[in-house]
Amino acid sequence: MNMSIPFPTDKEASIVFDALRVEVEPARSKVTRKLETNGRILKVHFTAQEAKSLRVGVNSFLEHLILATQTIQEFGPPDRKSKRLNSSHARYLVC
């Protein structure tokens, strides 16, 4: 099964990709999932031997997808103009 999920920006697609790629399907689920981004499109490919396993895997993925998109909506889309702290700045912090 293939899904293509469009996002308003490349950055939002990348954020959701990074959030979802760490969610690994349990070995007992017998479902494999491949994620990739192509610009502002998040592409997902699922494979499973049984329809029930596929349904469970897709439903789980969609729940995580909804949570990730709601988080972006709640806190706002990434602002390209803002100066966000990144790892290159973190070495200059003194605690």
Side-chain angles (χ1 to χ4, degrees):
M1 174 179 183
N2 295 310
M3 298 172 66
S4 295
I5 302 117
F7 287 89
T9 66
D10 295 3
K11 182 67 175 173
E12 288 178 61
S14 177
I15 290 169
V16 173
F17 170 81
D18 287 339
L20 296 177
R21 70 186 171 121
V22 297
E23 295 295 330
V24 179
E25 294 290 333
R28 68 186 184 327
S29 75
K30 300 178 184 171
V31 175
T32 59
R33 178 184 73 202
K34 181 182 175 192
L35 289 171
E36 65 181 68
T37 56
N38 183 5
R40 63 181 199 90
I41 307 295
L42 176 65
K43 294 183 177 186
V44 191
H45 176 74
F46 294 93
T47 56
Q49 293 180 352
E50 299 175 5
K52 180 180 178 181
S53 298
L54 181 62
R55 178 183 54 82
V56 171
V58 170
N59 283 343
S60 176
F61 172 79
L62 291 174
E63 288 176 5
H64 288 101
L65 175 66
I66 289 167
L67 179 61
T69 56
Q70 286 175 339
T71 301
I72 290 173
Q73 289 173 351
E74 180 70 25
F75 294 100
D79 182 6
R80 294 181 190 143
K81 296 178 184 176
S82 70
K83 300 281 184 183
R84 296 185 188 259
L85 180 66
N86 61 38
S87 60
S88 66
H89 294 108
R91 65 176 167 236
Y92 299 110
L93 293 178
V94 177
C95 297

